[in-house]
Amino acid sequence: MDQWKFSHVSAGLTAVTVGYSSAIVIVIDLARRAGATDGMVVSWLLALGLGMGLTCIVFSWLTKMPVVTAWSTPGAAFLLTTVEAYSLPEVIGAFVLCALFSLITAQSRALLAQISRIPSAISSALLSGILLPICLAIFSDVNNSPLLVALYLAVYLIGSRWFAQYLMLVLLLMSVGLSFYLQPQTSLSFSMPTPVWVTPEFSLSSAAGLAFPLFLVTTLSQNLPGIAIHHAHNYKPDHKPILSGIAITQGLLAPFGGFTFNLAAITAALCMGEHADSNKEQRYKAAIAAGVGYLFMGLIASIVVTLFVSMPTTIIHLLAGLALLATLQGALSRSMEVTEHRAPAMLTLLCTASGFSLFSMTSAVWGLVLGLLLLFLQKSRC
């Protein structure tokens, strides 16, 4: 029997640490804006931990390849700016519909190929428009908390130069410490998390304004890059059953708060490199270790929620905005790479970032439609 190595565990736990430190505050803020109580927020984190953990373990074991899953951080960023216009049952219903869209897409390689034909400039502009308001919030509290904003910017600037790999973890730990300092009455207590069922409600408004954009953002910014990461490391699993299983998992866990599950990209790469194992055939164990780490994080959800629910709004703005800066930078760069796509991409970005809603469709949907329409008109003119 093949032996496990410390490198498998360290690579897997690094993937979990990177995934949580860069986005946990966004997920908790999303749950609260959606109308979740503290108990429901714990349920969300439990569902996400269980979903990611089980899919990592099961698919990595079955394929003997590193299959790392994650929640959709871009999807969470999109929802962050839109969920307050809907009731919590409608939001949960949108999660279920998103899972259904993903399952249907997974059955058809032709449909997945058609979605992948959306120009990178347009999909990147869509992502940029979603992230821009969150990143701008870094500076929204300058007048009220100038010293706090200055502190975070200083750590970010210094960390970008001297400890970039651990920057978000340092910012996360600093945020927890500052929260305890600013609100010393906060106390930690552990209790086993309890799943909280919310019966989904379905409406045309939430389907068009939440479910479809969430599906599209997750597919374009997570699943397609996740497939590309596999191919880049010379892994060729059959993605149809994997994506189908991930979609079914989301559908089952959505009523408990499992808003999205998808193939990971950045964290997946941490389990696919030489540092995980010199033997390419053994690196799937790093993904299984990541799955165990996700299960553990789900089980201590009550502690995680206690740490972050009491966090001041200014710190949440700073942490979320700084965590997404690198993603925004990459998306902006890709959206402007092709000269003839710049005008449609800019239109998509501005429309999406505006945050309006019209005819039950959010600005992200309108931004995508307008960008593709302008691109089509430009091509037909030629």
Side-chain angles (χ1 to χ4, degrees), residues 9-86:
V9 178
S10 63
L13 295 186
T14 299
V16 174
T17 302
V18 170
Y20 266 75
S21 63
S22 62
I24 186 65
V25 67
I26 300 171
V27 173
I28 292 176
D29 194 21
L30 162 62
R32 296 174 72 187
R33 292 194 189 195
T37 63
D38 287 354
M40 290 177 182
V41 176
V42 171
S43 177
W44 281 45
L45 294 185
L46 172 63
L48 291 168
L50 289 177
M52 293 186 296
L54 291 175
T55 49
C56 283
I57 293 170
V58 170
F59 290 117
S60 296
W61 176 259
L62 290 177
T63 64
K64 294 299 185 287
M65 301 180 197
V67 177
V68 181
T69 58
W71 60 56
S72 172
T73 299
F78 159 71
L79 292 169
L80 204 60
T81 60
T82 54
V83 291
E84 290 176 297
Y86 302 87

Side-chain angles (χ1 to χ4, degrees), residues 4 45 51 56-57 59 66 72 105 138 161 169 182 207 243 328 332:
W4 280 70
L45 294 185
C56 283
I57 293 170
F59 290 117
S72 172
T105 303
I138 294 170
R161 173 64 179 86
L169 180 59
L182 295 172
L243 291 175
L328 175 60
L332 283 172

Side-chain angles (χ1 to χ4, degrees), residues 93-103 210-216 218 247 250 259-260:
F95 298 166
V96 175
L97 285 177
C98 175
L100 180 61
F101 294 154
S102 297
L103 182 60
L210 289 181
F212 180 70
L214 178 61
F215 154 74
L216 202 58
T218 299
Q250 180 180 334
F259 71 97
T260 52

Side-chain angles (χ1 to χ4, degrees), residues 18 21 155-171 326:
V18 170
S21 63
V155 172
Y156 182 82
L157 293 173
I158 294 170
S160 297
R161 173 64 179 86
W162 298 107
F163 47 89
Q165 186 175 356
Y166 305 101
L167 175 55
M168 285 316 303
L169 180 59
V170 169
L171 287 171

Side-chain angles (χ1 to χ4, degrees), residues 9-305:
V9 178
S10 63
L13 295 186
T14 299
V16 174
T17 302
V18 170
Y20 266 75
S21 63
S22 62
I24 186 65
V25 67
I26 300 171
V27 173
I28 292 176
D29 194 21
L30 162 62
R32 296 174 72 187
R33 292 194 189 195
T37 63
D38 287 354
M40 290 177 182
V41 176
V42 171
S43 177
W44 281 45
L45 294 185
L46 172 63
L48 291 168
L50 289 177
M52 293 186 296
L54 291 175
T55 49
C56 283
I57 293 170
V58 170
F59 290 117
S60 296
W61 176 259
L62 290 177
T63 64
K64 294 299 185 287
M65 301 180 197
V67 177
V68 181
T69 58
W71 60 56
S72 172
T73 299
F78 159 71
L79 292 169
L80 204 60
T81 60
T82 54
V83 291
E84 290 176 297
Y86 302 87
S87 68
L88 180 58
E90 281 184 304
V91 172
I92 296 297
F95 298 166
V96 175
L97 285 177
C98 175
L100 180 61
F101 294 154
S102 297
L103 182 60
I104 293 171
T105 303
Q107 307 315 302
S108 171
R109 290 183 174 86
L111 182 56
L112 194 62
Q114 287 299 315
I115 294 174
S116 68
R117 289 182 62 187
I118 294 176
S120 174
I122 302 298
S123 60
S124 296
L126 177 69
L127 181 58
S128 299
I130 290 168
L131 299 180
L132 185 60
I134 299 172
C135 292
L136 286 174
I138 294 170
F139 305 98
S140 64
D141 300 301
V142 168
N143 291 330
N144 295 326
S145 306
L147 293 179
L148 200 57
V149 174
L151 173 63
Y152 271 78
L153 289 175
V155 172
Y156 182 82
L157 293 173
I158 294 170
S160 297
R161 173 64 179 86
W162 298 107
F163 47 89
Q165 186 175 356
Y166 305 101
L167 175 55
M168 285 316 303
L169 180 59
V170 169
L171 287 171
L172 185 68
L173 294 174
M174 185 177 80
S175 299
V176 171
L178 282 171
S179 295
F180 276 106
Y181 174 75
L182 295 172
Q183 302 186 53
Q185 71 275 13
T186 302
S187 60
L188 292 179
S189 61
F190 172 76
S191 60
M192 284 300 293
T194 303
V196 179
W197 171 276
V198 176
T199 302
E201 290 182 5
F202 303 98
S203 67
L204 182 59
S205 172
S206 62
L210 289 181
F212 180 70
L214 178 61
F215 154 74
L216 202 58
V217 168
T218 299
T219 301
L220 292 172
S221 65
Q222 296 285 156
N223 281 329
L224 293 181
I227 293 171
I229 286 289
H230 271 138
H231 292 167
H233 288 83
N234 294 314
Y235 291 107
K236 301 293 176 68
D238 184 356
H239 285 102
K240 179 178 178 179
I242 294 174
L243 291 175
S244 298
I246 292 173
I248 291 170
T249 300
Q250 180 180 334
L252 294 174
L253 293 177
F256 303 101
F259 71 97
T260 52
F261 297 101
N262 48 254
L263 290 173
I266 297 173
T267 51
L270 295 172
C271 296
M272 295 183 190
E274 292 261 341
H275 57 279
D277 197 306
S278 57
N279 183 355
K280 177 174 171 286
E281 306 300 321
Q282 297 299 312
R283 295 173 192 166
Y284 74 93
K285 294 176 180 176
I288 292 178
V292 174
Y294 282 131
L295 290 177
F296 175 74
M297 293 302 293
L299 292 176
I300 64 167
S302 60
I303 295 178
V304 176
V305 170

